[in-house]
Amino acid sequence: MFVDSYFVAFERTMARLIERFQQAPDLYLHQEDLLAGAFVLLQEQGTLHKLYPTRDGRLTGLVHRHYQPLLSFPDGLTSANESDISHPLALLDPRFVRSYPFEVVANINGRGRRALQALSAVDRDALRPPLLATAHLLLMEQVSSSSMEKLHNAFMALVRAEPDAQRQYMVVLIRHWNLEDQIAQVLDRMERWADSHGHISAVVAQAYRDDVGRVCGGRYLNMWSHMAPLPPFDAPSPVSSRASLVYSAI
């Protein structure tokens, strides 16, 4: 398919991000570091680095951060929730970019949203999702009630984002030394959600490194065409048929 190379490039980038996190868990100090790092890695992919012309001749890329919803939330947005439901990482469909003027593609101040909502019902039904992919990336220092609430909010935002994007991704990175307890709590929650929302591709990885040694583990959930080469499974826990849980201590 025409878009397959874009999805491969996107998933290859997520794999590189996970590999970097396993090698150096403290590379990204904060959530914004992680998002910025992902943005840079996406821009390094040749397929995603190209510039595409809008219908009125402006040039823009496909990868953007904090992109506002276009088709999601048909009942409207409020000032209280607009920042919470933006796409932290968005991969635009090049066909969408070429088909509309810049002000619609950029969606500044909701101009794109209003333009698409103004289409006739027939045209809206025939409209492809304007994004190829949207992704939420979370960096968790430890599992707590507040971090689990953020996890829930991020996953539910992806559920609601389905009208905007052909594929939804969630990457959860946990920076903590205790593999037994921390990742188990997140995986339990994520597996239940992933079972109910099979269109969302998710991965949970945990890593920690200090002068004593290094630990890492992870699991992929639902559909992925490209995954990070995780360490061999060497724990007594059973392995899920959907993905592999790995533990490594060096």
Side-chain angles (χ1 to χ4, degrees):
M1 288 179 60
F2 164 74
V3 298
D4 283 351
S5 61
Y6 297 97
F7 292 129
V8 169
F10 194 88
E11 293 188 14
R12 184 179 292 123
T13 301
M14 297 301 106
R16 286 187 62 195
L17 193 74
I18 292 168
E19 289 175 32
R20 286 191 170 194
F21 176 69
Q22 289 184 104
Q23 294 164 3
D26 300 319
L27 175 62
Y28 306 113
L29 298 182
H30 309 291
Q31 178 78 21
E32 286 303 313
D33 281 355
L34 178 62
L35 284 166
F39 182 85
V40 170
L41 291 176
L42 286 166
Q43 292 286 356
E44 292 176 357
Q45 294 284 336
T47 306
L48 308 182
H49 182 66
K50 293 167 57 179
L51 297 178
Y52 293 81
T54 61
R55 195 176 69 188
D56 51 351
R58 307 276 289 270
L59 293 175
T60 189
L62 300 182
V63 181
H64 300 278
R65 289 185 56 195
H66 300 301
Y67 191 83
Q68 292 295 308
L70 284 164
L71 300 174
S72 304
F73 299 89
D75 295 333
L77 309 177
T78 67
S79 58
N81 67 11
E82 281 191 43
S83 61
D84 295 332
I85 61 178
S86 67
H87 305 294
L89 277 177
L91 177 63
L92 301 185
D93 189 326
R95 296 166 294 190
F96 168 67
V97 174
R98 295 188 184 104
S99 299
Y100 290 92
F102 179 77
E103 68 172 16
V104 173
V105 173
N107 196 22
I108 297 172
N109 296 323
R111 293 175 186 173
R113 179 181 178 82
R114 290 193 294 273
L116 296 186
Q117 287 183 334
L119 296 173
S120 68
V122 174
D123 288 339
R124 272 203 310 274
D125 289 341
L127 189 66
R128 295 188 193 95
L131 310 184
L132 291 178
T134 181
H136 278 253
L137 279 62
L138 292 182
L139 178 63
M140 302 171 66
E141 292 294 337
Q142 63 179 7
V143 176
S144 63
S145 57
S146 61
S147 64
M148 292 299 278
E149 182 179 0
K150 290 179 182 178
L151 182 74
H152 175 269
N153 291 342
F155 193 92
M156 291 304 114
L158 281 178
V159 172
R160 296 191 296 266
E162 188 173 2
D164 271 346
Q166 291 186 36
R167 296 189 187 179
Q168 296 82 37
Y169 294 90
M170 186 160 186
V171 178
V172 182
L173 304 182
I174 307 169
R175 182 165 53 208
H176 199 277
W177 61 269
N178 185 342
L179 279 168
E180 296 289 336
D181 179 55
Q182 299 287 311
I183 198 170
Q185 294 184 61
V186 175
L187 278 174
D188 178 66
R189 193 75 56 90
M190 290 292 292
E191 284 182 330
R192 285 190 279 112
W193 293 339
D195 284 341
S196 300
H197 303 282
H199 63 283
I200 296 179
S201 302
V203 57
V204 181
Q206 182 170 334
Y208 189 84
R209 186 170 191 154
D210 60 14
D211 57 351
V212 175
R214 176 168 68 98
V215 294
C216 59
R219 180 174 290 173
Y220 278 89
L221 302 169
N222 292 334
M223 289 191 313
W224 290 84
S225 60
H226 192 90
M227 296 183 285
L230 299 171
F233 178 77
D234 56 11
S237 303
V239 181
S240 168
S241 60
R242 290 178 301 170
S244 60
L245 175 64
V246 299
Y247 291 115
S248 176
I250 299 176

